[in-house]
């Protein structure tokens, strides 16, 4: 029996916040072959970390089928959470090593759920360094903030 390869998707995500906390936005660029999709949104009162998490969640949520996703993020918070901290948080009942509640637990749980649906490879990119996908995601995140003002 042969298995069908998963659709390949490249995603760039970013969050923005005008004040921390303050009005915030998130953006994502999804590419699969010749197909491309842009997503963005905003929240009236939030933090940059919440918007970074929301961008990744919404990017993965937008995929209707299991995919092989290469996720490009510029957030050390998201990268460290997914690659280092998450297993310990889950093992410790969503408590940090210092026994304090995990900040943004609702979003970490949602992200964990979305990541489980896909085959995800994490790639960290330096923000504002000329990576075209990251620059577009940043512009979309700022568009998310601006959408709150209209």
């Amino acid at each position: 029996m042969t298995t069908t390869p998963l659709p390949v998707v490249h995603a760039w995500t970013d969050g923005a916040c005008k004040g921390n906390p303050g009005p915030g936005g998130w953006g994502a660029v999804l590419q699969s072959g010749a197909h491309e999709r842009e997503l963005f949104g905003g929240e009236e009162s939030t933090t940059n970390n919440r918007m970074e998490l929301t961008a990744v969640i919404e990017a993965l949520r937008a995929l209707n089928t299991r995919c092989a996703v290469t996720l490009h993020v510029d957030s050390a918070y998201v990268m460290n959470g997914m690659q280092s901290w998450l297993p310990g948080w889950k093992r410790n009942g969503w408590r940090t090593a210092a026994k304090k509640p995990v900040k943004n637990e609702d979003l970490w749980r949602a992200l964990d759920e979305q990541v489980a649906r896909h085959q995800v490879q994490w790639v960290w990119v330096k923000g504002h360094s000329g990576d075209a996908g990251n620059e577009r995601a940043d512009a979309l995140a700022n568009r998310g903030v601006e959408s709150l003002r209209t």
Side-chain angles (χ1 to χ4, degrees):
M1 178 165 93
T2 55
T3 56
T4 306
L6 297 175
V8 175
V9 175
H10 290 270
W12 288 262
T13 64
D14 202 9
C17 211
K18 305 304 177 194
N20 201 18
W26 58 269
V29 177
L30 302 170
Q31 292 179 340
S32 183
H35 301 286
E36 200 168 88
R37 186 170 174 197
E38 293 182 339
L39 308 166
F40 68 91
E43 292 185 23
E44 289 291 341
S45 181
T46 189
T47 64
N48 191 68
N49 283 342
R50 287 189 69 81
M51 292 295 89
E52 294 283 358
L53 287 164
T54 299
V56 180
I57 293 163
E58 294 299 333
L60 294 174
R61 194 175 276 157
L63 303 173
N64 298 331
T65 185
R66 182 172 169 76
C67 296
V69 182
T70 302
L71 258 168
H72 304 260
V73 300
D74 66 1
S75 168
Y77 177 66
V78 172
M79 287 294 290
N80 287 332
M82 291 309 297
Q83 295 186 322
S84 299
W85 306 329
L86 188 66
W89 290 341
K90 289 166 71 173
R91 193 173 46 251
N92 295 333
W94 294 95
R95 297 270 178 199
T96 65
K99 307 287 186 236
K100 296 188 173 168
V102 170
K103 289 181 181 172
N104 304 312
E105 177 186 343
D106 58 331
L107 295 178
W108 285 112
R109 284 179 181 267
L111 180 54
D112 189 37
E113 183 179 305
Q114 290 303 314
V115 166
R117 296 179 48 232
H118 303 285
Q119 178 185 313
V120 177
Q121 176 187 355
W122 294 90
V123 177
W124 186 80
V125 295
K126 183 175 170 61
H128 310 286
S129 64
D131 181 283
N134 179 257
E135 298 294 337
R136 284 179 63 198
D138 178 66
L140 288 165
N142 282 295
R143 203 164 142 196
V145 177
E146 291 303 316
S147 73
L148 300 171
R149 297 185 179 141
T150 57

